[in-house]
Amino acid sequence: MPSVNGTTPVNGSTKFLDFHSAVETLNEYKSRDGLGIEDLIDTKQRGGLTYNDFLILPGYIGFPASEVVLDSPITKRITLKTPFVSSPMDTVTEHEMAIHMALQGGLGVIHHNCSPDAQADMVRKVKRYENGFIVDPVVISKETTVEEAKALKEKWGFGGFPVTESGKLGSKLLGIVTNRDLQFEDDLRQTVDKVMVTDLVTAQLGVTLPEANKILAKSRKGKLPIVDKDFNLVSMISRSDLTKNLHFPLASKLPDSKQLICAAAIGTRPEDKLRLKKLVEAGLDIVVLDSSQGNSMYQIEMIKWVKQEYPGLDVIGGNVVTREQAANLIAAGVDGLRIGMGSGSACITQEVMAVGRPQAAAVYSVSAFAAKFGVPCIADGGVQNVGHIVKGLALGASTVMMGGLLAGTTESPGTSFVSREGKLVKAYRGMGSIDAMQDKKAGAGSKNSQASNAGTARYFSEGDSVLVAQGVSGAVAHRGSIGKFVPYLAAGLKHSLQDCGMRSCKELHESALNGTLRFEVRTASAQLEGGVNMESYEKKLYA
């Protein structure tokens, strides 16, 4: 028993309750500590809140962060293992970003500020990157030259082409041309039947994918052709896909084909129907109707048309920030919604147009309404760090879309350069910037490239004689590879949910609705307190 020097008053009292009753004593309070989500997002009382205006109160940690499950729906029919989506901006998402976001369990939405053919080629590259059974392999004939085979390798980013009599699927298999066969071949005019491998290991039509994978693993070959009883090529599987399965267990894939899930954006003009046709033929899974203000007759008509023409294609509508906007798109048949107007780091819509809504208020209002109809929502914009991701999900979003946060990664299409301060940065621009709206790639040589531009279409400016910017151009810090940055975001999200006492994104949503998850408003002083208060420091986000 330690010695004491008297009983010290606590809050002026020296009479205390039995400490064993501390948990039961909580029942004496009328409500839990902090605010419920409805009290927090009370716009009549507090105005419109942004992510920086509040915090989530901690809960009870009774599990390791590694047990937190991040699975969350992106549409009514498709769920991601990681709730991260890259924005359809021309300095953020092309096929490289889409591939690596999908490999990490997220999703990349390919921009449409390019020609329809160029966008369709990007979709094909995503769909061909990883497969189960490759049901539409690139097939060549024995008359194909070495030069042509090398050109195909350059175009598709992979080698290993089956050679058949007719050069088509369903024809008799003759051999396979691999990278090793082409690498040191100097005679470019020589036909591939002179260099192809004819000692083949094959599997018969009807083999299951696990059985085929075992055969491939034992064969030590790069490809396993699947043939029918007449030795006609039916499909293939690839050893590289087996390796990808091991390295990327969370990858966003379709259960039947094992291909990566691919999304792409289009506008709402009549010519976008022709664009969508090419994208669907390339294997598109999700189409995002890209508009700064989604509640329009153009988008509603497009939603109905897409659902009628392509019932197997999931449609994400937006952008919206109010229940009334969302209701019209939900009634038209959308499978998902995109929330945000003017909150992006490169967006100036709220400033220039005086139209929009603070992101936290928008996410809660729309997602709470959409949930009544089973429509998942994407919180698009305003995300600058892991904490903002957590807050967007806590307010009801199923996934979070990022532009500027991912624009600095290696896989984004932006140009890298050294800034005046000597830092490595990458070019980044809003789709409403003058630079983006004057880009002529989407026109593909047409006389009126402005009418075909994704930026002008997104902001309904195709026919304007004077373009009014709703975005800016600039640069963001280089963040390294998606292969490290997205796992950092996911790990941060898991630890945050652990701090909240939530084992999954689903439990986070349920706890917000039933009042278990609590919040607190942050004053300006509180925001300063929560930041770094040092004379000098180095902010290293992950290692």
Side-chain angles (χ1 to χ4, degrees):
M1 182 72 180
S3 61
V4 296
N5 60 355
T7 303
T8 305
V10 177
N11 288 345
S13 175
T14 56
K15 295 182 179 180
F16 309 122
L17 299 176
D18 181 0
F19 70 88
H20 293 99
S21 65
V23 176
E24 289 78 7
T25 304
L26 289 173
N27 297 325
E28 296 178 6
Y29 293 85
K30 292 182 179 180
S31 64
R32 297 172 65 93
D33 211 348
L35 299 171
I37 193 167
E38 291 185 1
D39 291 331
L40 173 73
I41 310 293
D42 184 346
T43 55
K44 293 180 181 178
Q45 181 179 349
R46 308 185 195 284
L49 300 185
T50 68
Y51 292 144
N52 285 334
D53 291 327
F54 69 95
L55 287 172
I56 304 170
L57 297 187
Y60 170 71
I61 297 178
F63 51 89
S66 59
E67 290 185 4
V68 175
V69 177
L70 300 181
D71 295 35
S72 199
I74 180 77
T75 68
K76 292 178 181 177
R77 297 184 287 192
I78 297 176
T79 295
L80 305 178
K81 295 288 186 184
T82 309
F84 305 147
V85 185
S86 66
S87 181
M89 303 170 74
D90 60 7
T91 51
V92 178
T93 310
E94 291 188 346
H95 64 278
E96 281 291 328
M97 178 68 76
I99 287 170
H100 287 87
M101 284 296 291
L103 288 175
Q104 296 296 334
L107 184 71
V109 183
I110 298 172
H111 75 85
H112 59 118
N113 205 23
C114 56
S115 70
D117 288 335
Q119 191 180 19
D121 280 344
M122 286 190 269
V123 171
R124 287 190 192 92
K125 288 178 180 178
V126 177
K127 299 305 292 183
R128 288 183 182 275
Y129 185 81
E130 185 170 352
N131 302 271
F133 286 112
I134 306 172
V135 295
D136 58 344
V138 178
V139 183
I140 58 179
S141 70
K142 60 183 179 181
E143 285 82 23
T144 301
T145 64
V146 169
E147 183 177 23
E148 290 170 336
K150 286 187 174 183
L152 284 173
K153 178 181 180 296
E154 184 70 24
K155 177 182 178 180
W156 293 112
F158 61 83
F161 305 114
V163 182
T164 66
E165 282 188 344
S166 68
K168 296 180 180 180
L169 194 68
S171 178
K172 187 175 182 179
L173 180 65
L174 302 177
I176 290 181
V177 175
T178 69
N179 287 328
R180 284 172 293 183
D181 302 323
L182 300 173
Q183 189 173 13
F184 300 110
E185 185 57 53
D186 296 326
D187 187 357
L188 299 181
R189 295 183 181 180
Q190 187 171 213
T191 53
V192 294
D193 61 328
K194 304 294 193 305
V195 299
M196 67 183 183
V197 175
T198 56
D199 179 21
L200 303 176
V201 175
T202 63
Q204 285 294 309
L205 178 64
V207 67
T208 65
L209 185 57
E211 290 170 344
N213 283 335
K214 287 181 180 179
I215 296 172
L216 181 61
K218 291 180 180 179
S219 71
R220 299 185 180 181
K221 300 283 188 179
K223 299 283 192 297
L224 178 69
I226 311 300
V227 297
D228 63 15
K229 58 183 177 61
D230 297 319
F231 214 69
N232 295 316
L233 180 66
V234 177
S235 62
M236 282 177 47
I237 65 170
S238 171
R239 176 175 292 277
S240 63
D241 292 328
L242 285 177
T243 305
K244 292 167 190 171
N245 286 336
L246 293 174
H247 291 166
F248 303 102
L250 300 177
S252 303
K253 301 180 194 175
L254 295 174
D256 49 355
S257 67
K258 302 298 181 183
Q259 292 180 323
L260 296 179
I261 297 172
C262 184
I266 65 169
T268 55
R269 301 161 299 194
E271 56 264 36
D272 283 301
K273 295 179 180 179
L274 298 176
R275 177 184 289 267
L276 182 59
K277 184 175 184 293
K278 293 179 183 253
L279 300 181
V280 171
E281 289 172 350
L284 189 68
D285 303 301
I286 301 172
V287 62
V288 176
L289 302 184
D290 190 29
S291 175
S292 65
Q293 213 283 51
N295 186 27
S296 69
M297 59 183 180
Y298 312 109
Q299 184 158 149
I300 292 170
E301 188 276 332
M302 181 66 86
I303 293 167
K304 293 178 179 178
W305 180 83
V306 173
K307 297 306 292 184
Q308 181 177 347
E309 291 293 317
Y310 305 103
L313 183 67
D314 282 9
V315 181
I316 295 175
N319 282 32
V320 295
V321 293
T322 70
R323 291 190 297 266
E324 289 74 18
Q325 286 179 297
N328 286 334
L329 304 190
I330 291 171
V334 289
D335 300 295
L337 284 171
R338 195 170 157 204
I339 304 171
M341 188 174 184
S343 57
S345 61
C347 186
I348 56 173
T349 296
Q350 293 181 11
E351 173 190 338
V352 175
M353 300 294 148
V355 178
R357 195 174 195 181
Q359 187 68 346
V363 170
Y364 173 70
S365 180
V366 174
S367 59
F369 178 77
K372 297 177 184 290
F373 308 93
V375 177
C377 292
I378 305 169
D380 174 22
V383 175
Q384 300 170 7
N385 50 53
V386 176
H388 290 168
I389 293 174
V390 181
K391 292 175 183 179
L393 296 174
L395 291 171
S398 297
T399 54
V400 174
M401 180 174 280
M402 296 165 282
L405 201 61
L406 299 177
T409 59
T410 306
E411 290 76 11
S412 73
T415 304
S416 298
F417 61 96
V418 178
S419 68
R420 293 177 181 176
E421 294 76 24
K423 296 180 179 179
L424 183 62
V425 297
K426 290 197 79 169
Y428 174 55
R429 66 188 186 188
M431 293 307 293
S433 66
I434 295 298
D435 286 348
M437 290 196 286
Q438 290 183 334
D439 195 299
K440 297 182 179 180
K441 291 194 297 292
S446 64
K447 292 183 179 180
N448 189 3
S449 61
Q450 182 172 311
S452 303
N453 182 279
T456 56
R458 188 174 200 276
Y459 295 92
F460 305 103
S461 303
E462 302 99 315
D464 291 356
S465 57
V466 176
L467 294 175
V468 179
Q470 294 190 47
V472 298
S473 300
V476 293
H478 204 290
R479 298 184 184 276
S481 173
I482 282 289
K484 287 189 175 181
F485 190 63
V486 169
Y488 150 69
L489 295 178
L493 176 55
K494 286 186 175 185
H495 279 282
S496 179
L497 292 187
Q498 181 193 38
D499 283 343
C500 298
M502 304 297 156
R503 293 177 177 269
S504 66
C505 292
K506 180 183 178 186
E507 186 176 347
L508 182 72
H509 288 156
E510 292 172 348
S511 298
L513 291 175
N514 65 29
T516 304
L517 189 68
R518 308 299 284 180
F519 303 86
E520 192 73 274
V521 174
R522 299 173 83 192
T523 64
S525 297
Q527 293 183 39
L528 287 173
E529 177 188 67
V532 178
N533 296 287
M534 297 172 60
E535 191 67 31
S536 64
Y537 65 93
E538 179 184 4
K539 195 171 184 178
K540 190 174 183 180
L541 296 178
Y542 59 92

